[in-house]
Amino acid sequence: MHEEVTHPCIQHKLALIRDIDTGHKMFRELATEITMFVCYEALKNIRVKEVDVETPLTTARCHMIDEDIVVIPILRAGIGMLDGILSLIPSARVGFVGLERDEETAQPATYYEKMPLQVKNGISIIIDPMLATGGSTVAAINMLKEQGAGRIVVVCIVTCPEGLAAVHEAHPDVNVYTASIDPGLNEKKYIVPGLGDAGDRLYGTK
Ligand code: PRP
Ligand code: URA
């Protein structure tokens, strides 16, 4: 399953983040803001428990999140979404997976990995702004499943039909939430119209 979260507030911010004239400071701020909106939607079905809270007047039956949540940014561009999701779930644990696409072949290579044990019983949320061919996301999901992860969700900012198909084919149990499903990939496997190289735009490299 995948869901494109198309609220006007997200569409407005997407227009700004795509713009070639948006510099790295504003790009980072927009990535954080868009992430908050998309994650808000992605987290709508997480488990809650009932708690009684004493208000100044009486006892209120309330609900609080009842899941171990592990957020996994795919280095390096995924770090640009971390503040956004942690502002929604400040108690989340964070795991890291370092993956880099080869510029010629677009195949991902792993260079780092560190996961909290809680991926086994909790819900794992992979964050990466770009789900292009899907190679990096599928590799991250494979790694999490090897470590015993059960429930996995992917949140990105921009994807395309090719990336979604790759994830759904390899991992039909994993849901993907995105701010945009763009038309496709160019010959260099970049999403078009996309927003360019997310890592470079976030960190001001190149
Ligand atoms: C980008 C992006 C994803 C990946 C998407 O990272 O952040 O991780 O490419 O492409 P795919 O779906 O075809 O695998 P990149 O490898 O450029 O590394 P970076 O984040 O360090 O810039
Ligand atoms: N990586 C990016 O940063 N952008 C794309 O469009 C594809 C892969």
Side-chain angles (χ1 to χ4, degrees):
M1 188 282 279
H2 56 263
E3 183 177 331
E4 188 180 24
V5 187
T6 58
H7 191 283
C9 290
I10 299 187
Q11 290 177 2
H12 183 93
K13 290 177 192 301
L14 260 178
L16 295 171
I17 203 169
R18 288 185 195 276
D19 191 330
I20 191 172
D21 291 327
T22 294
H24 57 271
K25 174 181 179 289
M26 193 170 161
F27 192 97
R28 280 201 286 264
E29 290 166 2
L30 290 162
T32 296
E33 291 161 5
I34 294 169
T35 301
M36 283 179 68
F37 283 118
V38 182
C39 287
Y40 182 79
E41 191 63 16
L43 294 168
K44 66 188 169 196
N45 292 321
I46 56 172
R47 198 174 60 227
V48 292
K49 63 181 175 196
E50 289 190 338
V51 292
D52 286 337
V53 172
E54 293 306 316
T55 78
L57 301 179
T58 185
T59 304
R61 177 56 54 94
C62 299
H63 296 91
M64 295 184 83
I65 292 171
D66 189 32
E67 306 239 41
D68 260 324
I69 297 180
V70 181
V71 179
I72 300 109
I74 299 181
L75 303 178
R76 96 195 125 133
I79 294 284
M81 299 173 71
L82 191 56
D83 284 352
I85 188 165
L86 289 182
S87 62
L88 284 183
I89 323 165
S91 60
R93 294 171 200 274
V94 182
F96 292 92
V97 49
L99 286 165
E100 189 165 28
R101 263 188 7 164
D102 183 285
E103 293 208 352
E104 300 301 320
T105 65
Q107 293 304 308
T110 308
Y111 60 86
Y112 186 74
E113 183 266 310
K114 188 91 175 173
M115 289 301 151
L117 288 175
Q118 284 74 10
V119 294
K120 286 190 170 53
N121 304 315
I123 174 161
S124 302
I125 304 175
I126 295 172
I127 51 174
D128 190 326
M130 312 307 283
L131 201 179
T133 66
S136 305
T137 298
V138 168
I141 298 170
N142 290 343
M143 178 184 294
L144 277 167
K145 287 192 172 175
E146 277 161 22
Q147 302 210 1
R151 284 192 301 143
I152 302 172
V153 174
V154 172
V155 177
C156 59
I157 293 179
V158 182
T159 186
C160 58
E162 294 91 326
L164 289 171
V167 173
H168 291 327
E169 191 180 319
H171 298 288
D173 55 312
V174 174
N175 295 341
V176 180
Y177 293 83
T178 184
S180 180
I181 303 173
D182 281 11
L185 298 170
N186 69 9
E187 65 289 350
K188 290 186 160 177
K189 308 292 184 198
Y190 272 73
I191 299 172
V192 279
L195 42 78
D197 187 309
D200 285 343
R201 295 200 63 191
L202 277 163
Y203 302 116
T205 44
K206 280 203 180 139

